[in-house]
Structures are given as structure tokens and as C-alpha cells.
Amino acid sequence: MIIAADQWYKWHKRGHRNYTEIKEEIIAKLSTHLEPEDVVDEGTIATVIDVLIDTVERGTEMVEEKEEKIPRFTCPLPCEYRYDIWRNVFIASMILNLLLVITIIPFIVSLIRSDIPEQLMDDQNETCRQLLLDELNFLKAMYTVDELEINEPQNPTENGQITQLTLHQQIDNISYEVVVHLSSEYPIILKPSAFVRCSLINCDLLNQELRYFIDQETLGIPLTLTIMQWINDNINRFKVIFQAN
């Protein structure tokens, strides 16, 4: 083993070592650990080290003479080889898990929806239809035929149908038109959508704030009159000032 270490030193340090200096260095280091009461003295250490180093020197010379040099080995696989494999396996596993989750989510959603009792859905749809009918009757009593246009679907009992209201209003010399879409699932499940048409106001900005206002309202209550009241209270803020040529 010591001879092999000496050969390694020669290969990597590019030359032979000075064995005399090695002896002196080792003896000096070991002598510093001696105590006065120790059985071993510096002479004993020197004798042992001389024998060992001389043996190494002779062994090295024999190896070189017979050209039986210790072969130099390199690891066929780098130290990071296994790390790269497990890292790639981990990344592939994460991707597969993500794809699995994406695949399962629609199934879970459909399963949850299928667990909702059909009777409950039917009751909600019936309640929505009744509330919508009551609100339409109230609006018809409140507005004239010229002020209110109602475009009802051919089969209002089917889900997904839209009832469109068009209200023609005027305030402070501003004539404007409000279009409200009421779904068959309004007002319990869905909120209405509404927008204003007028050439005297900034409709884009008004409709943007109107959508925000509707989003903040409580779901489950009629909102048509609330929307009309908000428009009447705020429309003057969106007047467009025309400059004369």
C-alpha cells in the first residue's frame, strides 16, 4: 500500500520524492508527541521510520526495474452520474403527476355535478323562472310600451335561454338606451349583463364601471331596477364635451 502511494505521488507530482527529507520530516513530527515517561524514545522512532522508508524505496526501485508499474485507473462513471439519473427521473415523475391531475380534474368536476340531486336543480330553475316572470310583470307595469321592449325566447322553459330588455330613457337632455340580458338562470345562479348606448356619453367607460357595479351586487335578487337607478345617478359623469368648430 505504501509503495502504491509512492507510485501515485510520482505519477501526479511529476518526479521522485526525497526519501531522506521524508525520514527527517516524519521523525520530527512524531518526536513532538513524545513525553519524558514514554518507553519509546526518538531513537526508536528513527529506527522504525528508517526501516519503513528504506523498504518503500527498495520496493519502488524493484517496481520500476521490472516495469510493473501500478496501473492508473479512472472511474468509468462520473460522480454526478447517478445524481443526473435521479434528477431526470424526478422531473419525469413530476410531469406525469401533473398530467394525471389535469386528466382527473374534469372527471372529479363531472362527478361532483352528478351528485347534485336533480330535484334541487329543477327547483332552482323553477324558482328562477318565477322570479324572472315576476320582475318582467313589474317592469311592464312601471314602464310604458315605448320605454320598454322585451324580447323573450320562444321556449323560456329551456335552460340557457336569454331574455333581452331594451329600455329607452332620457335624463338631463341625454337620451340613452339600456340593453339588459337576463338568463334563464337569473337571478339565483347568474347575474344579468347590461350595457348603455348613447352618442353623448363615453359609453366605454360607463359600461366598464357598470360591469364592475353588477359584479359587486348580491346574487339571488332581482337587479334590473337597481341597474337602471345606478345609470340614472351616474350618467352625467360620462358626458362628452363637444367643442364648436
Side-chain angles (χ1 to χ4, degrees):
M1 180 64 70
I2 299 177
I3 296 174
D6 185 65
Q7 288 290 304
W8 182 92
Y9 182 90
K10 183 184 69 175
W11 291 336
H12 292 81
K13 301 298 182 179
R14 305 299 182 186
H16 293 279
R17 293 191 288 181
N18 190 322
Y19 295 103
T20 302
E21 292 181 357
I22 294 174
K23 290 179 183 179
E24 295 175 353
E25 181 181 349
I26 295 176
I27 292 171
K29 288 183 178 180
L30 294 178
S31 297
T32 58
H33 298 283
L34 293 176
E35 299 292 339
E37 63 274 9
D38 289 341
V39 176
V40 178
D41 56 11
E42 187 173 349
T44 304
I45 294 175
T47 301
V48 173
I49 296 302
D50 285 341
V51 173
L52 290 176
I53 298 301
D54 290 342
T55 302
V56 172
E57 186 175 3
R58 288 194 300 271
T60 300
E61 292 175 354
M62 291 175 60
V63 169
E64 293 177 350
E65 289 175 359
K66 296 180 180 180
E67 296 183 352
E68 295 177 357
K69 297 182 179 180
I70 300 175
R72 300 174 64 180
F73 294 98
T74 57
C75 183
L77 298 177
C79 297
E80 65 274 9
Y81 179 75
R82 289 190 175 184
Y83 168 78
D84 291 340
I85 288 180
W86 290 114
R87 181 193 60 188
N88 295 336
V89 170
F90 174 76
I91 294 174
S93 175
M94 292 297 294
I95 294 174
L96 291 176
N97 288 334
L98 180 60
L99 294 176
L100 180 62
V101 170
I102 294 175
T103 305
I104 290 178
I105 285 178
F107 173 75
I108 295 176
V109 172
S110 62
L111 185 63
I112 293 174
R113 289 181 176 177
S114 64
D115 290 339
I116 300 177
E118 293 184 1
Q119 184 61 38
L120 177 60
M121 294 296 295
D122 293 340
D123 291 344
Q124 285 187 342
N125 292 334
E126 182 61 31
T127 303
C128 288
R129 283 192 288 269
Q130 187 59 47
L131 290 174
L132 177 59
L133 181 60
D134 293 342
E135 186 173 12
L136 291 178
N137 291 333
F138 182 79
L139 292 173
K140 290 176 182 178
M142 185 173 180
Y143 294 98
T144 65
V145 177
D146 295 333
E147 292 176 330
L148 174 63
E149 297 179 14
I150 300 178
N151 184 9
E152 297 185 74
Q154 295 181 352
N155 189 0
T157 61
E158 291 185 3
N159 291 333
Q161 299 298 312
I162 300 295
T163 299
Q164 177 175 303
L165 308 180
T166 304
L167 295 102
H168 305 278
Q169 297 291 294
Q170 182 174 356
I171 184 172
D172 296 337
N173 296 324
I174 300 176
S175 297
Y176 61 95
E177 185 177 88
V178 181
V179 178
V180 182
H181 291 160
L182 305 176
S183 168
S184 59
E185 297 176 319
Y186 162 85
I188 295 178
I189 301 174
L190 295 177
K191 294 180 181 180
S193 63
F195 61 90
V196 178
R197 290 192 289 227
C198 179
S199 60
L200 302 178
I201 63 173
N202 187 338
C203 290
D204 291 338
L205 184 58
L206 185 148
N207 289 326
Q208 181 179 352
E209 293 196 17
L210 177 59
R211 286 192 295 270
Y212 178 79
F213 169 76
I214 295 174
D215 289 340
Q216 301 305 309
E217 288 299 302
T218 303
L219 186 65
I221 60 174
L223 292 175
T224 304
L225 289 179
T226 304
I227 292 172
M228 295 302 300
Q229 186 62 46
W230 184 90
I231 295 173
N232 290 337
D233 294 341
N234 293 274
I235 194 169
N236 284 317
R237 295 194 294 112
F238 302 94
K239 280 185 179 180
V240 176
I241 300 176
F242 295 95
Q243 295 181 353
N245 294 330

